[in-house]
Amino acid sequence: MSQSTWRVLGATGFAGSAIMTRLQQEGIGAAPVSAPRLATSSESSGQVIAEARRLESVVDYLADSFAGADVVVNAAGLSAPDQNDLPSLVGANALLPTIVAVAAQRTGVRRVIHLSSSAVQGSRPKLDATDATSPFSAYSFSKALGEDCVLRLRDFINATAQAGAAPGSAASDFPPAPSNAPARVEPNHAAELCILRATSVQGSGRKTTSNLARVASSPLAMVAGRGDRPTPVTSVHALAEFVVSVGSFDGDLPPIVLQPWEGATTASVIRDAGRREPRRIPAFALRWGVSFGHLLSSAMNERLQGAVRRAELMWFGQPQDDTWAVENGLLPERRIGSVLREAHTATGSTR
C-alpha cells in the first residue's frame, strides 16, 4: 500500500475530508483508512479496553492500514448529538478510538490524534484541556468515555515503554501487528496519543450549520445581554488547520488539546449566519428558558438535551482556555465569519 506518512480515518466525512484537503495543501502525504462499524454494550473504560483487545481481527485490519505511517488521525465517529442509541454511539466514539490506539502502538506509529468534542465538558463555565468532563447526553457520554479509554491507554503504553516492555515489542504479552507482516516495535516505543477536542464546528454541507443559519435568520435569533460573550463556534477549515499543526508539532504533545477560539461572539454568529441583529434578552429570562428546557427534556427521557444545549450556546456562548495553542503559535486563520455568511446565502434567505 501507499507509503504516505499520515493515515486518516473518516477521510470522507465532514472533518476528515477537510483534514485531507489541508494535508494536500501542505504537501503532506496521506492515505484514507475506512473505519469499521462497531457497536458495543460496554459502558465503562475497562470494559471497552478489554473488548478492544479481544477484537484481534479489527486490530489486524487497522494495523495493516497503518503500516509505514508516522501519524494517524482518527476523524471517524458518530456525530449525532440527538441520538440515544448508546451501543452505536459507544462503538463509534469509544471502542473505535481504543482499537485505533492499540493498533497504532503495535504497529510502531509515532503519533495518534484522536478527534473528540468539547461537548464532553457540557455547560461548564469555561472549556479547557483538562480531563474533567460533564457529559449531559448519550452522545457526550460516548465521547467522554472514548477520551477516558485513550487516556488510560496512554498511561499504560508510557508505563510499559519506560519498563522496556512496550506493547508490540518482543518483551510484551501483546504481539506486534499486523499478523501477516508484524512491525518491529522497540521495547521503549510509546505511540504519542493526543486527544484534540473540537468545538462547535461549522461548514458547508453540515446540517447543524444550515439549521443555525435558519434559526439566525428568524425571530428566534436572540442572545443574552449585549451579545459580546465569546462562543466556541468555529469553522471546519480552522479545525483542519489546527489538526495538521498539532500532528506536525515539533515537540511533546499534552494528553489533551482544545481547538482554539476563532474570535466569534454570540452576537457576531447571529449577524453572520442570519444577516440581522439579534434580539437582546435579559440573561435571567434566558436562564429560566434553559432550566425549563432541561425539565421538559427530563420528562421526555432526555431527548431534548442536545437541542437545549445548542440554544444555551447560542444565547450565552462559552469561553475557552486555548493557552497551549496561543503559547505555541498554533492559532488557525479565522474563517468562521465567511463560513456562516455562506451558510446564510445557501438557505435562500432574502435578508
Side-chain angles (χ1 to χ4, degrees):
M1 64 182 297
S2 169
Q3 292 303 304
S4 54
T5 58
W6 286 49
R7 302 288 187 272
V8 180
L9 287 94
T12 60
F14 175 66
S17 59
I19 293 167
M20 289 293 286
T21 298
R22 184 71 192 192
L23 287 166
Q24 184 178 31
Q25 290 171 346
E26 297 199 12
I28 299 174
V33 175
S34 296
R37 284 178 170 266
L38 302 170
T40 178
S41 59
S42 299
E43 295 185 15
S44 72
S45 55
Q47 291 175 333
V48 171
I49 292 172
E51 183 170 354
R53 287 170 171 159
R54 290 195 298 270
L55 295 175
E56 279 294 332
S57 63
V58 183
V59 172
D60 217 44
Y61 157 71
L62 289 176
D64 185 54
S65 301
F66 297 164
D70 185 47
V71 178
V72 168
V73 176
N74 178 32
L78 191 53
S79 182
D82 297 318
Q83 185 169 315
N84 288 308
D85 181 9
L86 200 57
S88 294
L89 287 166
V90 173
N93 298 332
L95 181 57
L96 175 60
T98 302
I99 297 176
V100 167
V102 169
Q105 168 61 30
R106 288 164 60 181
T107 318
V109 170
R110 181 177 66 87
R111 178 172 283 173
V112 177
I113 308 298
H114 166 56
L115 261 65
S116 184
S117 169
S118 62
V120 301
Q121 293 195 314
S123 59
R124 62 183 299 153
K126 186 179 231 182
L127 297 173
D128 60 30
T130 67
D131 60 5
T133 59
S134 302
F136 58 91
S137 63
Y139 168 73
S140 57
F141 169 79
S142 70
K143 296 298 272 188
L145 181 59
E147 286 195 3
D148 190 39
C149 291
V150 171
L151 291 174
R152 287 173 179 265
L153 281 177
R154 177 185 168 109
D155 290 343
F156 173 77
I157 290 170
N158 287 341
T160 53
Q162 289 176 6
S169 70
S172 172
D173 293 333
F174 300 101
S179 58
N180 64 328
R184 178 181 174 84
V185 179
E186 297 298 328
N188 61 349
H189 171 74
E192 189 175 30
L193 309 183
C194 179
I195 295 164
L196 191 155
R197 282 183 185 150
T199 55
S200 180
V201 184
Q202 310 298 326
S204 175
R206 192 170 208 189
K207 185 178 179 181
T208 301
T209 304
S210 58
N211 288 343
L212 172 60
R214 291 189 183 94
V215 171
S217 303
S218 76
L220 296 175
M222 59 186 75
V223 296
R226 296 189 301 271
D228 57 354
R229 303 180 192 217
T231 182
V233 174
T234 189
S235 68
V236 70
H237 310 293
L239 173 61
E241 182 180 345
F242 187 58
V243 169
V244 175
S245 295
V246 171
S248 306
F249 184 68
D250 186 17
D252 294 334
L253 293 175
I256 303 172
V257 296
L258 178 67
Q259 184 182 359
W261 185 49
E262 208 172 334
T265 65
T266 51
S268 76
V269 167
I270 300 300
R271 281 194 294 268
D272 287 327
R275 309 309 288 159
R276 65 187 297 158
E277 283 295 321
R279 296 169 58 198
R280 290 170 169 81
I281 308 297
F284 76 87
L286 294 181
R287 285 292 179 201
W288 181 88
V290 172
S291 298
F292 177 76
H294 284 307
L295 287 174
L296 185 60
S297 182
S298 296
M300 299 175 65
N301 197 27
E302 310 297 343
R303 292 180 183 175
L304 300 179
Q305 288 297 88
V308 172
R309 178 66 191 125
R310 288 192 292 275
E312 184 179 22
L313 192 64
M314 180 175 72
W315 295 340
F316 293 97
Q318 192 173 26
Q320 56 204 96
D321 182 357
D322 53 8
T323 302
W324 184 82
V326 172
E327 290 179 344
N328 287 284
L330 300 183
L331 296 182
E333 177 186 354
R334 293 181 173 183
R335 297 177 61 181
I336 184 58
S338 62
V339 165
L340 294 178
R341 290 190 290 273
E342 289 169 6
H344 172 81
T345 301
T347 65
S349 175
T350 58
R351 290 187 62 90

